[in-house]
Amino acid sequence: MNPWPLGGDLSVARIGYGAMKLTGWPQGGRPSRETALAILRRAVELGVNHIDTSHYYARDGVAANELIREALSPYPADLVIVTKVGALVEGSDVALPAAEMTGLTPDGLRRGVEANLRSLGVDRLDVVNLRMGGHDRSETSLAAPLTTLLELREEGLIRHLGVSNVTADEFAQARAIAPIACVQNLYNLSKRDDDPLVDACADAGIAYVPYFPVGGFQPIKAGHLDAIAARHGATVPQVALAWLLARSPNILAIPGTGSPAHLEENIAAGTLKLSEEDLAQLG
């Protein structure tokens, strides 16, 4: 697989790593601290140079950014760390109307950026995604929060901007305000509502980064999936990742795991070549 030029100047492998599961946030178990650090180091050894994280990936005193810093700082020159701020900057924001989400205010966004800088131990963030909320979307525009992040970029605190949890209309609006390096939305083999947006991003040379690439809290279900996995001697998640990589060259997968064995399997999915018959069966 050819690497993707994220933002035009950051070359990243198409299988990265999502750090959320290292903390058990927002729910579920987590690995020991020693295992979490080992997973991060092993990921980089295996060629991962794109890590997705956020300062709000933290639970019971365990924070993803701090684990990343302990495991990998001083950071490899080619490592790209993508963070996010916005609607989930505080856990309570999830249940609030979008207009009341403190993470979308100028002060909340600045605090979020500064928290990521501080916890990662860097002077500038490679990519910051503006994460929009899921409630009362008609009442809240991304123009104001994205403009705030653009100002922070002009201050030198951010290299590239992305958007997350956005509609096609919001994507178009964002591109009219600032250069957009990536879109991070829910998308996988079973959840394909974003098909047109994936293609629009590809046409514009913009990365599309699906969250929950192997289903998240809901296992992926698709016809012929088990049979295809068996035919290749692979796991279902590996086939799901391979399908994403085959779907479009601008898709960057960031599967997360707290298991060293699953990390190896996820990265190995990059070498799994699905046939035309496989792809046709998966639809």
Side-chain angles (χ1 to χ4, degrees):
M1 291 181 298
N2 293 325
W4 181 264
L6 185 59
D9 62 350
L10 300 173
S11 181
V12 297
R14 292 186 60 207
I15 291 189
Y17 179 75
M20 184 175 73
K21 286 191 175 181
L22 295 181
T23 68
W25 187 93
Q27 61 186 12
R30 62 169 174 261
S32 69
R33 187 176 192 86
E34 292 74 18
T35 299
L37 296 175
I39 286 171
L40 288 163
R41 291 168 181 148
R42 182 58 177 156
V44 171
E45 288 175 357
L46 292 172
V48 167
N49 68 339
H50 170 202
I51 295 179
D52 179 82
T53 186
S54 176
H55 68 295
Y56 58 68
Y57 291 169
R59 185 180 176 197
D60 299 331
V62 178
N65 284 359
E66 293 172 3
L67 291 170
I68 292 167
R69 182 176 183 176
E70 181 176 346
L72 302 176
S73 181
Y75 300 115
D78 68 338
L79 182 64
V80 176
I81 301 177
V82 178
T83 62
K84 63 180 65 65
V85 296
L88 291 181
V89 71
E90 296 173 4
S92 59
D93 273 6
V94 178
L96 294 175
E100 298 177 25
M101 289 183 174
T102 59
L104 290 170
T105 65
D107 179 63
L109 291 165
R110 179 175 287 276
R111 285 189 291 109
V113 166
E114 291 176 347
N116 278 295
L117 288 166
R118 183 170 57 253
S119 54
L120 287 168
V122 297
D123 296 324
R124 181 174 66 168
L125 299 170
D126 294 324
V127 183
V128 173
N129 285 320
L130 170 63
R131 207 276 189 188
M132 295 301 292
H135 301 276
D136 298 335
R137 298 296 288 274
S138 62
E139 298 181 11
T140 302
S141 167
L142 60 62
L146 189 57
T147 298
T148 296
L149 290 183
L150 187 58
E151 292 169 355
L152 292 171
R153 193 191 73 160
E154 291 170 352
E155 291 179 26
L157 302 182
I158 301 170
R159 186 167 185 167
H160 294 296
L161 296 174
V163 288
S164 178
N165 198 37
V166 294
T167 65
D169 287 344
E170 287 171 330
F171 169 66
Q173 182 185 16
R175 292 190 66 204
I177 297 169
I180 298 300
C182 55
V183 171
Q184 188 178 108
N185 274 11
L186 171 62
Y187 184 78
N188 57 49
L189 186 55
S190 296
K191 300 289 186 180
R192 305 192 198 179
D193 292 347
D194 255 11
D195 269 333
L197 186 51
V198 171
D199 295 334
C201 287
D203 290 343
I206 294 172
Y208 185 97
V209 186
Y211 66 76
F212 293 160
V214 295
F217 302 121
Q218 297 179 338
I220 285 179
K221 296 179 181 179
H224 304 286
L225 186 54
D226 290 334
I228 292 171
R231 187 157 63 237
H232 285 276
T235 66
V236 165
Q238 284 179 317
V239 173
L241 288 171
W243 178 85
L244 283 170
L245 298 176
R247 168 63 179 83
S248 185
N250 67 317
I251 287 183
L252 306 178
I254 50 167
T257 181
S259 162
H262 288 164
L263 172 71
E264 303 270 349
E265 291 177 0
N266 289 341
I267 295 173
T271 64
L272 176 59
K273 305 298 182 184
L274 299 179
S275 67
E276 292 299 323
E277 179 185 358
D278 295 332
L279 297 172
Q281 288 180 337
L282 292 171

